PDB file of all heavy atoms in Angstrom:
ATOM      1  N   VAL A 992      52.515 143.625-156.836  1.00 89.00           N
ATOM      2  CA  VAL A 992      52.242 143.176-158.259  1.00 89.00           C
ATOM      3  C   VAL A 992      52.837 141.843-158.386  1.00 89.00           C
ATOM      4  O   VAL A 992      53.989 141.647-158.420  1.00 89.00           O
ATOM      5  CB  VAL A 992      52.920 144.124-159.259  1.00 89.00           C
ATOM      6  CG1 VAL A 992      52.655 143.660-160.707  1.00 89.00           C
ATOM      7  CG2 VAL A 992      52.498 145.601-159.084  1.00 89.00           C
ATOM      8  N   ASP A 993      51.944 140.805-158.069  1.00 85.00           N
ATOM      9  CA  ASP A 993      52.442 139.298-158.031  1.00 85.00           C
ATOM     10  C   ASP A 993      51.871 138.551-159.218  1.00 85.00           C
ATOM     11  O   ASP A 993      50.633 138.462-159.400  1.00 85.00           O
ATOM     12  CB  ASP A 993      51.949 138.716-156.688  1.00 85.00           C
ATOM     13  CG  ASP A 993      52.736 139.243-155.515  1.00 85.00           C
ATOM     14  OD1 ASP A 993      53.733 139.875-155.642  1.00 85.00           O
ATOM     15  OD2 ASP A 993      52.228 139.043-154.370  1.00 85.00           O
ATOM     16  N   ALA A 994      52.775 137.989-159.971  1.00 82.00           N
ATOM     17  CA  ALA A 994      52.418 137.114-161.037  1.00 82.00           C
ATOM     18  C   ALA A 994      51.251 137.775-161.979  1.00 82.00           C
ATOM     19  O   ALA A 994      50.305 137.210-162.292  1.00 82.00           O
ATOM     20  CB  ALA A 994      51.882 135.741-160.592  1.00 82.00           C
ATOM     21  N   SER A 995      51.521 139.024-162.184  1.00 85.00           N
ATOM     22  CA  SER A 995      50.542 139.903-162.892  1.00 85.00           C
ATOM     23  C   SER A 995      51.244 140.663-164.085  1.00 85.00           C
ATOM     24  O   SER A 995      52.279 141.347-163.875  1.00 85.00           O
ATOM     25  CB  SER A 995      49.876 140.834-161.950  1.00 85.00           C
ATOM     26  OG  SER A 995      49.207 140.137-160.878  1.00 85.00           O
ATOM     27  N   ASN A 996      50.697 140.456-165.231  1.00 86.00           N
ATOM     28  CA  ASN A 996      51.380 141.036-166.474  1.00 86.00           C
ATOM     29  C   ASN A 996      50.635 142.289-167.030  1.00 86.00           C
ATOM     30  O   ASN A 996      49.501 142.393-166.727  1.00 86.00           O
ATOM     31  CB  ASN A 996      51.329 139.947-167.570  1.00 86.00           C
ATOM     32  CG  ASN A 996      52.004 138.614-167.086  1.00 86.00           C
ATOM     33  OD1 ASN A 996      52.894 138.685-166.254  1.00 86.00           O
ATOM     34  ND2 ASN A 996      51.622 137.567-167.676  1.00 86.00           N
ATOM     35  N   ARG A 997      51.411 143.049-167.678  1.00 90.00           N
ATOM     36  CA  ARG A 997      50.899 144.320-168.283  1.00 90.00           C
ATOM     37  C   ARG A 997      50.296 145.232-167.325  1.00 90.00           C
ATOM     38  O   ARG A 997      49.370 145.943-167.627  1.00 90.00           O
ATOM     39  CB  ARG A 997      49.960 143.955-169.423  1.00 90.00           C
ATOM     40  CG  ARG A 997      50.502 143.060-170.492  1.00 90.00           C
ATOM     41  CD  ARG A 997      49.606 142.979-171.720  1.00 90.00           C
ATOM     42  NE  ARG A 997      48.154 142.815-171.420  1.00 90.00           N
ATOM     43  CZ  ARG A 997      47.671 141.556-171.168  1.00 90.00           C
ATOM     44  NH1 ARG A 997      48.361 140.527-171.085  1.00 90.00           N
ATOM     45  NH2 ARG A 997      46.415 141.482-170.802  1.00 90.00           N
ATOM     46  N   THR A 998      50.935 145.280-166.085  1.00 93.00           N
ATOM     47  CA  THR A 998      50.386 146.261-165.129  1.00 93.00           C
ATOM     48  C   THR A 998      51.006 147.613-165.401  1.00 93.00           C
ATOM     49  O   THR A 998      52.166 147.848-165.663  1.00 93.00           O
ATOM     50  CB  THR A 998      50.824 145.878-163.694  1.00 93.00           C
ATOM     51  OG1 THR A 998      50.260 144.553-163.409  1.00 93.00           O
ATOM     52  CG2 THR A 998      50.391 146.845-162.613  1.00 93.00           C
ATOM     53  N   ILE A 999      50.140 148.608-165.426  1.00 95.00           N
ATOM     54  CA  ILE A 999      50.645 149.982-165.507  1.00 95.00           C
ATOM     55  C   ILE A 999      50.296 150.817-164.187  1.00 95.00           C
ATOM     56  O   ILE A 999      49.170 150.913-163.780  1.00 95.00           O
ATOM     57  CB  ILE A 999      49.935 150.760-166.760  1.00 95.00           C
ATOM     58  CG1 ILE A 999      50.350 150.031-168.053  1.00 95.00           C
ATOM     59  CG2 ILE A 999      50.365 152.271-166.741  1.00 95.00           C
ATOM     60  CD1 ILE A 999      49.609 150.625-169.242  1.00 95.00           C
ATOM     61  N   CYS A1000      51.326 151.275-163.563  1.00 96.00           N
ATOM     62  CA  CYS A1000      51.109 151.999-162.223  1.00 96.00           C
ATOM     63  C   CYS A1000      51.809 153.313-162.468  1.00 96.00           C
ATOM     64  O   CYS A1000      53.006 153.458-162.579  1.00 96.00           O
ATOM     65  CB  CYS A1000      51.888 151.209-161.102  1.00 96.00           C
ATOM     66  SG  CYS A1000      52.014 152.007-159.536  1.00 96.00           S
ATOM     67  N   THR A1001      50.966 154.324-162.482  1.00 98.00           N
ATOM     68  CA  THR A1001      51.514 155.674-162.853  1.00 98.00           C
ATOM     69  C   THR A1001      50.726 156.780-162.156  1.00 98.00           C
ATOM     70  O   THR A1001      49.503 156.743-161.805  1.00 98.00           O
ATOM     71  CB  THR A1001      51.314 155.974-164.342  1.00 98.00           C
ATOM     72  OG1 THR A1001      51.832 157.189-164.704  1.00 98.00           O
ATOM     73  CG2 THR A1001      49.862 155.825-164.814  1.00 98.00           C
ATOM     74  N   ASP A1002      51.498 157.828-161.708  1.00 98.00           N
ATOM     75  CA  ASP A1002      50.821 159.049-161.126  1.00 98.00           C
ATOM     76  C   ASP A1002      50.211 158.819-159.796  1.00 98.00           C
ATOM     77  O   ASP A1002      49.238 159.524-159.492  1.00 98.00           O
ATOM     78  CB  ASP A1002      49.978 159.740-162.183  1.00 98.00           C
ATOM     79  CG  ASP A1002      50.679 160.263-163.396  1.00 98.00           C
ATOM     80  OD1 ASP A1002      51.621 161.064-163.246  1.00 98.00           O
ATOM     81  OD2 ASP A1002      50.125 159.938-164.479  1.00 98.00           O
ATOM     82  N   ASN A1003      50.754 157.921-159.005  1.00 98.00           N
ATOM     83  CA  ASN A1003      50.268 157.688-157.635  1.00 98.00           C
ATOM     84  C   ASN A1003      51.113 158.295-156.588  1.00 98.00           C
ATOM     85  O   ASN A1003      52.269 158.642-156.920  1.00 98.00           O
ATOM     86  CB  ASN A1003      50.151 156.164-157.462  1.00 98.00           C
ATOM     87  CG  ASN A1003      49.245 155.413-158.431  1.00 98.00           C
ATOM     88  OD1 ASN A1003      48.040 155.496-158.338  1.00 98.00           O
ATOM     89  ND2 ASN A1003      49.819 154.754-159.378  1.00 98.00           N
ATOM     90  N   ARG A1004      50.573 158.486-155.397  1.00 98.00           N
ATOM     91  CA  ARG A1004      51.299 158.946-154.202  1.00 98.00           C
ATOM     92  C   ARG A1004      51.410 157.834-153.272  1.00 98.00           C
ATOM     93  O   ARG A1004      50.430 157.223-152.749  1.00 98.00           O
ATOM     94  CB  ARG A1004      50.705 160.162-153.613  1.00 98.00           C
ATOM     95  CG  ARG A1004      50.804 161.361-154.568  1.00 98.00           C
ATOM     96  CD  ARG A1004      49.846 162.530-154.093  1.00 98.00           C
ATOM     97  NE  ARG A1004      48.484 162.095-154.101  1.00 98.00           N
ATOM     98  CZ  ARG A1004      47.468 162.540-153.337  1.00 98.00           C
ATOM     99  NH1 ARG A1004      47.719 163.537-152.371  1.00 98.00           N
ATOM    100  NH2 ARG A1004      46.261 162.161-153.480  1.00 98.00           N
ATOM    101  N   PHE A1005      52.568 157.435-152.883  1.00 98.00           N
ATOM    102  CA  PHE A1005      52.910 156.398-151.919  1.00 98.00           C
ATOM    103  C   PHE A1005      53.606 156.981-150.749  1.00 98.00           C
ATOM    104  O   PHE A1005      54.670 157.566-150.890  1.00 98.00           O
ATOM    105  CB  PHE A1005      53.665 155.292-152.383  1.00 98.00           C
ATOM    106  CG  PHE A1005      53.075 154.469-153.603  1.00 98.00           C
ATOM    107  CD1 PHE A1005      53.171 154.847-154.871  1.00 98.00           C
ATOM    108  CD2 PHE A1005      52.286 153.378-153.321  1.00 98.00           C
ATOM    109  CE1 PHE A1005      52.627 154.286-155.914  1.00 98.00           C
ATOM    110  CE2 PHE A1005      51.656 152.641-154.411  1.00 98.00           C
ATOM    111  CZ  PHE A1005      51.920 153.094-155.674  1.00 98.00           C
ATOM    112  N   PHE A1006      52.992 156.821-149.500  1.00 98.00           N
ATOM    113  CA  PHE A1006      53.663 157.283-148.264  1.00 98.00           C
ATOM    114  C   PHE A1006      54.082 156.018-147.502  1.00 98.00           C
ATOM    115  O   PHE A1006      54.223 154.927-147.992  1.00 98.00           O
ATOM    116  CB  PHE A1006      52.804 158.250-147.516  1.00 98.00           C
ATOM    117  CG  PHE A1006      52.438 159.480-148.364  1.00 98.00           C
ATOM    118  CD1 PHE A1006      51.296 159.626-149.053  1.00 98.00           C
ATOM    119  CD2 PHE A1006      53.391 160.536-148.428  1.00 98.00           C
ATOM    120  CE1 PHE A1006      51.017 160.719-149.825  1.00 98.00           C
ATOM    121  CE2 PHE A1006      53.214 161.649-149.279  1.00 98.00           C
ATOM    122  CZ  PHE A1006      51.916 161.736-149.885  1.00 98.00           C
ATOM    123  N   ARG A1007      54.330 156.283-146.201  1.00 96.00           N
ATOM    124  CA  ARG A1007      55.033 155.158-145.501  1.00 96.00           C
ATOM    125  C   ARG A1007      54.259 153.814-145.519  1.00 96.00           C
ATOM    126  O   ARG A1007      53.016 153.762-145.623  1.00 96.00           O
ATOM    127  CB  ARG A1007      55.242 155.522-143.986  1.00 96.00           C
ATOM    128  CG  ARG A1007      53.924 155.588-143.222  1.00 96.00           C
ATOM    129  CD  ARG A1007      54.178 156.021-141.810  1.00 96.00           C
ATOM    130  NE  ARG A1007      54.832 157.329-141.661  1.00 96.00           N
ATOM    131  CZ  ARG A1007      55.413 157.735-140.514  1.00 96.00           C
ATOM    132  NH1 ARG A1007      55.339 156.974-139.493  1.00 96.00           N
ATOM    133  NH2 ARG A1007      55.924 158.918-140.528  1.00 96.00           N
ATOM    134  N   HIS A1008      54.978 152.685-145.480  1.00 96.00           N
ATOM    135  CA  HIS A1008      54.415 151.385-145.402  1.00 96.00           C
ATOM    136  C   HIS A1008      54.950 150.713-144.162  1.00 96.00           C
ATOM    137  O   HIS A1008      56.017 151.046-143.633  1.00 96.00           O
ATOM    138  CB  HIS A1008      54.694 150.498-146.618  1.00 96.00           C
ATOM    139  CG  HIS A1008      56.184 150.092-146.668  1.00 96.00           C
ATOM    140  ND1 HIS A1008      56.680 148.903-146.270  1.00 96.00           N
ATOM    141  CD2 HIS A1008      57.269 150.851-146.988  1.00 96.00           C
ATOM    142  CE1 HIS A1008      57.965 148.821-146.428  1.00 96.00           C
ATOM    143  NE2 HIS A1008      58.380 150.011-146.839  1.00 96.00           N
ATOM    144  N   LEU A1009      54.209 149.712-143.550  1.00 94.00           N
ATOM    145  CA  LEU A1009      54.526 149.260-142.205  1.00 94.00           C
ATOM    146  C   LEU A1009      55.151 147.830-142.195  1.00 94.00           C
ATOM    147  O   LEU A1009      55.545 147.300-141.232  1.00 94.00           O
ATOM    148  CB  LEU A1009      53.300 149.267-141.287  1.00 94.00           C
ATOM    149  CG  LEU A1009      52.608 150.617-141.241  1.00 94.00           C
ATOM    150  CD1 LEU A1009      51.466 150.524-140.230  1.00 94.00           C
ATOM    151  CD2 LEU A1009      53.514 151.774-140.864  1.00 94.00           C
ATOM    152  N   GLY A1010      55.212 147.175-143.419  1.00 92.00           N
ATOM    153  CA  GLY A1010      55.712 145.783-143.506  1.00 92.00           C
ATOM    154  C   GLY A1010      55.955 145.421-144.985  1.00 92.00           C
ATOM    155  O   GLY A1010      56.125 146.293-145.780  1.00 92.00           O
ATOM    156  N   GLY A1011      55.893 144.122-145.258  1.00 90.00           N
ATOM    157  CA  GLY A1011      56.195 143.643-146.536  1.00 90.00           C
ATOM    158  C   GLY A1011      57.698 143.843-146.914  1.00 90.00           C
ATOM    159  O   GLY A1011      58.579 143.940-146.143  1.00 90.00           O
ATOM    160  N   ILE A1012      57.900 143.751-148.308  1.00 91.00           N
ATOM    161  CA  ILE A1012      59.388 143.925-148.682  1.00 91.00           C
ATOM    162  C   ILE A1012      59.740 145.299-149.127  1.00 91.00           C
ATOM    163  O   ILE A1012      60.898 145.614-149.418  1.00 91.00           O
ATOM    164  CB  ILE A1012      59.662 142.867-149.846  1.00 91.00           C
ATOM    165  CG1 ILE A1012      58.779 143.195-151.118  1.00 91.00           C
ATOM    166  CG2 ILE A1012      59.534 141.513-149.404  1.00 91.00           C
ATOM    167  CD1 ILE A1012      59.132 142.298-152.305  1.00 91.00           C
ATOM    168  N   GLY A1013      58.739 146.134-149.235  1.00 94.00           N
ATOM    169  CA  GLY A1013      58.973 147.583-149.631  1.00 94.00           C
ATOM    170  C   GLY A1013      57.676 148.286-149.776  1.00 94.00           C
ATOM    171  O   GLY A1013      56.616 147.724-149.616  1.00 94.00           O
ATOM    172  N   ASN A1014      57.802 149.607-150.134  1.00 97.00           N
ATOM    173  CA  ASN A1014      56.604 150.396-150.366  1.00 97.00           C
ATOM    174  C   ASN A1014      55.767 149.755-151.467  1.00 97.00           C
ATOM    175  O   ASN A1014      54.550 149.582-151.454  1.00 97.00           O
ATOM    176  CB  ASN A1014      56.906 151.857-150.638  1.00 97.00           C
ATOM    177  CG  ASN A1014      55.864 152.771-150.251  1.00 97.00           C
ATOM    178  OD1 ASN A1014      54.736 152.527-150.456  1.00 97.00           O
ATOM    179  ND2 ASN A1014      56.356 154.000-149.696  1.00 97.00           N
ATOM    180  N   ILE A1015      56.527 149.334-152.514  1.00 96.00           N
ATOM    181  CA  ILE A1015      55.942 148.664-153.630  1.00 96.00           C
ATOM    182  C   ILE A1015      56.691 147.365-153.782  1.00 96.00           C
ATOM    183  O   ILE A1015      57.929 147.305-153.843  1.00 96.00           O
ATOM    184  CB  ILE A1015      56.038 149.382-155.025  1.00 96.00           C
ATOM    185  CG1 ILE A1015      55.164 150.749-154.933  1.00 96.00           C
ATOM    186  CG2 ILE A1015      55.537 148.440-156.134  1.00 96.00           C
ATOM    187  CD1 ILE A1015      55.410 151.526-156.145  1.00 96.00           C
ATOM    188  N   GLY A1016      55.980 146.170-153.708  1.00 91.00           N
ATOM    189  CA  GLY A1016      56.599 144.824-153.862  1.00 91.00           C
ATOM    190  C   GLY A1016      56.128 144.282-155.155  1.00 91.00           C
ATOM    191  O   GLY A1016      54.997 144.297-155.498  1.00 91.00           O
ATOM    192  N   TRP A1017      57.141 143.741-155.887  1.00 86.00           N
ATOM    193  CA  TRP A1017      56.861 143.368-157.271  1.00 86.00           C
ATOM    194  C   TRP A1017      57.522 142.031-157.572  1.00 86.00           C
ATOM    195  O   TRP A1017      58.730 141.933-157.500  1.00 86.00           O
ATOM    196  CB  TRP A1017      57.558 144.474-158.153  1.00 86.00           C
ATOM    197  CG  TRP A1017      57.151 144.488-159.618  1.00 86.00           C
ATOM    198  CD1 TRP A1017      56.388 143.554-160.256  1.00 86.00           C
ATOM    199  CD2 TRP A1017      57.503 145.457-160.586  1.00 86.00           C
ATOM    200  NE1 TRP A1017      56.255 143.957-161.607  1.00 86.00           N
ATOM    201  CE2 TRP A1017      57.024 145.126-161.816  1.00 86.00           C
ATOM    202  CE3 TRP A1017      58.357 146.620-160.527  1.00 86.00           C
ATOM    203  CZ2 TRP A1017      57.239 145.862-162.979  1.00 86.00           C
ATOM    204  CZ3 TRP A1017      58.593 147.399-161.723  1.00 86.00           C
ATOM    205  CH2 TRP A1017      58.007 146.960-162.908  1.00 86.00           C
ATOM    206  N   ASP A1018      56.734 140.994-157.967  1.00 81.00           N
ATOM    207  CA  ASP A1018      57.250 139.707-158.194  1.00 81.00           C
ATOM    208  C   ASP A1018      56.485 139.174-159.512  1.00 81.00           C
ATOM    209  O   ASP A1018      55.416 139.283-159.712  1.00 81.00           O
ATOM    210  CB  ASP A1018      56.913 138.717-157.098  1.00 81.00           C
ATOM    211  CG  ASP A1018      57.578 139.083-155.842  1.00 81.00           C
ATOM    212  OD1 ASP A1018      58.660 139.714-155.847  1.00 81.00           O
ATOM    213  OD2 ASP A1018      57.093 138.669-154.713  1.00 81.00           O
TER     214      ASP A1018
END
């Protein structure tokens, strides 16, 4: 979620990620 407003992230399933800063990266 980069430079993005009013994002709603709900009721999802997240499993392993292989890079980046985290499973979900938020800036």
Side-chain angles (χ1 to χ4, degrees):
V992 181
D993 288 344
S995 298
N996 304 329
R997 305 190 312 278
T998 298
I999 297 174
C1000 173
T1001 182
D1002 293 309
N1003 300 283
R1004 292 168 295 154
F1005 295 89
F1006 298 98
R1007 69 178 62 191
H1008 70 102
L1009 308 184
I1012 61 173
N1014 209 317
I1015 298 174
W1017 192 357
D1018 296 335

